[in-house]
């Protein structure tokens, strides 16, 4: 059923979407850094946004490095937040795993999304994927979903 | 209720999202041209898309120039298409007007979207808006909707 | 002969490089506006610039609209400036004409450049062309030059 | 003295300018890959280029990994090429070192350049830096130069 979205809570956990490559880092020029949430830059580019939002910086990790302790922290961030419309940005490698970890949260609509190419890249899919997740929020039943590749999948189908 | 999207039909009508500024045009360097659908470029940038799609080039007009005859053409394009999941890209100025014109189509999910800034611009909202429309398709009831500014609105609320 | 560049004076006159397409303008959605100089945005993107610079906003016109009175204003802006290293950003249609108008200035190095595609576009040539003009300044003799298409041409060859 | 540039030879050695971040690489999501030369993409974006060029793929290394054997290979690539107008794209960390290694080549104009931010990034300095190097070629005497930060420096000053 259609619901007008009043407020969205975005939770940053890291992953490709957030990766940047600062000049002069001390790691042989190879490593990415994950600093400010990419979702902030995506949303700031949209001049008029017809909902309120907050961005919570929960983790800044490549998703292969996310542990179950980290997943517990993500879960508590979801549970402790008063809002029931949540989008989690996450690395693609273990996104499904985190979705399953959250699957016993049944009174909120939580969508995990991310990007195959960093938001900083000219050919990034970050804007598109964040858009898909936001569009899906307006009518999905409560539950946990993954939004990637233009498709929104319920956790039970993963 | 959630539905897995199998195929989306995109219908181009023109508007800001499609505007380009070719060098050496014959109109004093001021005018935009509307040629290939921006939605094609947006979707081609997404390396893996988990649905089929087609793009129909219906109109190539600034939306202030769209007449009721044009709207009839858009309506017939929707009705004659076998697919019931349709996204129309449209100029922002008269998007609501076209949505209302289509409002007696009740057996398809049709979402109108567009952009405040051409897809060719570095700070365009085209990728995001197309994403919102696609994300909304997965669970909306049949009907006509407008997706702009991160919000999906049913035609009855316009 | 090689000279280390200490300071560059940029003079904005308008043209395609500066064109923007603001949402909600009052001219049927067709017209560009020329506001802040594109060269400012190009240079601000370069994190470390090893010279000083200033940007003078002289004209904001499509180059087909530039009159000889305007060209006189450009010439006086060049002559009155203490700096002898000047880059003028200009529309492409009458760039050569303005170069010839300035050709009796013999004690400064003045390079005209611009873009085929607005700096705001994802596929703009603005950054590249500004770069070519700056690179040429380091060793050219005094005189008037046009830098377009990766080539720097003395006014006498136009 | 001004020379019209007929042909430029670009030599790829790697470095930040060339770095890409392919999805699904096997190195924990952290590592860049260096594949096709960024200079190709920069030049293809410029619709009209008023000189001929070739791009030689010599090395694909982070510049901290470039050895003196590699530098010898770069030198031989310069010496064996019939063209005397050469631009080398190179990582920033050891660009000066390679310039010095080449400094006994006195019958060609060779400019080393690169980028602080990969060409694939929205805020890259690649287009600008390639432009600076090309602009400088038109009037520099034979010798080895480094073009970074908007400045062209002879090897003797490094």
């Amino acid at each position: 059923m259609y619901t007008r979205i009043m407020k969205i809570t975005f939770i940053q956990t890291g992953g490709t979407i957030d990766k940047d490559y600062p000049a002069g880092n001390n790691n042989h020029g190879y490593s990415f850094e994950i600093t400010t949430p990419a979702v902030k830059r995506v949303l700031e580019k949209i001049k008029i946004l017809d909902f309120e939002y907050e961005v919570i910086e929960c983790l800044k990790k490549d998703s292969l490095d996310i542990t179950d302790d980290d997943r517990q922290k993500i879960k508590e961030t979801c549970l402790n937040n008063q809002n029931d419309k949540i989008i989690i940005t996450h690395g693609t490698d273990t996104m499904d795993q985190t979705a399953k970890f959250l699957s016993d949260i049944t009174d909120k609509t939580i969508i995990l999304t991310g990007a195959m190419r960093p938001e900083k890249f000219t050919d990034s899919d970050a804007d598109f994927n964040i858009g898909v997740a936001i569009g899906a929020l307006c009518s999905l039943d409560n539950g946990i979903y993954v939004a990637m590749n233009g498709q929104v999948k319920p956790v039970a189908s993963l």
Side-chain angles (χ1 to χ4, degrees), chain A residues 5 8-13 17 39 74 78 83-90 95-96 98-100 102 105 108-114 128-155 158:
Chain A
I5 301 302
I8 302 177
T9 297
F10 294 92
I11 299 175
Q12 178 196 32
T13 69
I17 191 171
V39 67
I74 297 172
C78 292
N83 196 2
D84 63 351
K85 304 290 186 195
I86 295 174
I87 292 172
I88 298 171
T89 59
H90 196 287
M95 193 183 284
D96 291 4
T98 300
K100 288 171 190 167
L102 301 176
I105 305 180
K108 294 173 184 269
T109 312
I110 300 176
I111 305 180
L112 291 90
T113 193
F128 176 82
N129 292 345
I130 298 280
V132 171
I134 291 174
L137 269 189
C138 72
S139 56
L140 285 173
D141 294 329
N142 284 338
I144 314 300
Y145 302 85
V146 163
M148 281 298 290
N149 310 321
Q151 196 72 243
V152 185
K153 295 183 181 170
V155 65
L158 297 176

Side-chain angles (χ1 to χ4, degrees), chain A residues 71-88:
Chain A
R71 292 196 172 86
Q72 188 58 35
K73 188 179 172 192
I74 297 172
K75 184 185 271 190
E76 282 162 18
T77 305
C78 292
L79 290 171
N80 294 336
N81 195 286
Q82 290 190 314
N83 196 2
D84 63 351
K85 304 290 186 195
I86 295 174
I87 292 172
I88 298 171

Side-chain angles (χ1 to χ4, degrees), chain A residues 3-152:
Chain A
T3 317
R4 181 169 163 68
I5 301 302
M6 304 307 290
K7 181 176 177 180
I8 302 177
T9 297
F10 294 92
I11 299 175
Q12 178 196 32
T13 69
T16 296
I17 191 171
D18 282 334
K19 286 179 181 169
D20 192 9
Y21 177 73
N25 65 1
N26 57 2
N27 195 2
H28 206 169
Y30 277 116
S31 286
F32 266 109
E33 275 184 18
I34 295 177
T35 55
T36 53
V39 67
K40 277 194 183 175
R41 294 190 296 275
V42 170
L43 296 177
E44 281 161 9
K45 202 158 54 177
I46 312 303
K47 298 292 180 290
I48 306 172
L49 271 185
D50 199 10
F51 56 78
E52 284 178 75
Y53 67 93
E54 64 182 338
V55 180
I56 298 174
E57 304 184 24
C58 177
L59 295 174
K60 293 172 190 296
K61 286 193 169 184
D62 185 282
S63 80
L64 290 174
D65 294 328
I66 290 183
T67 64
D68 276 356
D69 280 352
D70 292 327
R71 292 196 172 86
Q72 188 58 35
K73 188 179 172 192
I74 297 172
K75 184 185 271 190
E76 282 162 18
T77 305
C78 292
L79 290 171
N80 294 336
N81 195 286
Q82 290 190 314
N83 196 2
D84 63 351
K85 304 290 186 195
I86 295 174
I87 292 172
I88 298 171
T89 59
H90 196 287
T92 54
D93 285 314
T94 68
M95 193 183 284
D96 291 4
Q97 202 174 327
T98 300
K100 288 171 190 167
F101 193 94
L102 301 176
S103 62
D104 54 352
I105 305 180
T106 56
D107 60 345
K108 294 173 184 269
T109 312
I110 300 176
I111 305 180
L112 291 90
T113 193
M116 302 294 283
R117 305 269 297 160
E119 184 271 340
K120 292 274 186 184
F121 277 51
T122 51
D123 59 350
S124 176
D125 51 340
D127 293 37
F128 176 82
N129 292 345
I130 298 280
V132 171
I134 291 174
L137 269 189
C138 72
S139 56
L140 285 173
D141 294 329
N142 284 338
I144 314 300
Y145 302 85
V146 163
M148 281 298 290
N149 310 321
Q151 196 72 243
V152 185

